Amino acid sequence: VGVGWFGVSGVSLGAAGVTLNIDAPAVGIRYWLNETIGLDVALGFGYTSAGGTVDTPDGITDVQIASGFALTLHGGIPISVYHGEHYSFQFVPEFDFGFGSGTQFGATPNDDQNVGAVFFQIGARAGAEVYFGFIGVPELALQATIGLGLGYQSGTLENGFADTRGSTITTVNTLGLSTTVQEE
């Protein structure tokens, strides 16, 4: 069993030019079922709240700017394609899932904007893991991999939800393909 960092998944909440970006670093475990197959499971979360004060001749007023929450889940199946006493060459199919919601506060409740997002990514990485047993530290391992991922995100923006006329909801869907780099 190993404890590791599985990367930062940034969740970008919103649409139509209004976004709230929240980092949700995933921390989890890798459990080797045998010498060839393992299991990666990680969880990340992030919360942000921004505000301040406005100082005028009439006094000081507290102002809320934005707040939001994001949660990410990571899973993978590391496969050791070749291993020696102190190293392993690996192929790791993986997935990431995340969601979040928040509010961009306006001057009045009618100006507030709810933002949200859901994302899903699948991909695979290849690389090596070095075990430091050869220098007397068998509990330490370092891994470096590169990969390719296909991701989908759906961001939403809701305007005027405090207005009695109803709200306007804008949704933007994004599909992307990108390379990935990870070290733990």
Side-chain angles (χ1 to χ4, degrees):
V1 174
V3 176
W5 175 65
F6 289 86
V8 174
S9 293
V11 181
S12 183
L13 310 176
V18 177
T19 59
L20 177 60
N21 297 312
I22 302 174
D23 287 337
V27 177
I29 62 168
R30 171 171 284 175
Y31 179 75
W32 285 101
L33 302 169
N34 57 43
E35 289 185 351
T36 308
I37 303 287
L39 181 64
D40 291 344
V41 179
L43 176 68
F45 69 92
Y47 173 78
T48 188
S49 180
T53 59
V54 177
D55 190 358
T56 66
D58 295 331
I60 297 174
T61 305
D62 290 329
V63 179
Q64 286 185 307
I65 298 170
S67 69
F69 173 80
L71 181 71
T72 59
L73 302 169
H74 171 84
I77 301 176
I79 301 167
S80 178
V81 293
Y82 183 81
H83 62 272
E85 187 176 352
H86 300 292
Y87 61 90
S88 171
F89 292 105
Q90 300 170 1
F91 176 74
V92 185
E94 62 184 358
F95 75 92
D96 293 294
F97 171 77
F99 65 91
S101 67
T103 302
Q104 296 272 23
F105 297 101
T108 68
N110 285 343
D111 297 329
D112 291 353
Q113 298 173 317
N114 277 342
V115 290
V118 173
F119 81 87
F120 182 76
Q121 179 174 298
I122 58 171
R125 295 181 287 119
E129 186 170 350
V130 177
Y131 312 111
F132 285 86
F134 63 92
I135 59 171
V137 190
E139 296 84 11
L140 178 63
L142 295 177
Q143 173 181 293
T145 59
I146 58 171
L148 189 65
L150 176 67
Y152 169 81
Q153 178 163 320
S154 178
T156 60
L157 168 66
E158 181 180 10
N159 284 314
F161 57 89
D163 192 329
T164 58
R165 294 173 292 163
S167 60
T168 301
I169 298 173
T170 304
T171 302
V172 174
N173 300 313
T174 306
L175 182 64
L177 181 67
S178 66
T179 55
T180 61
V181 177
Q182 187 174 19
E183 63 281 332
E184 327 174 10

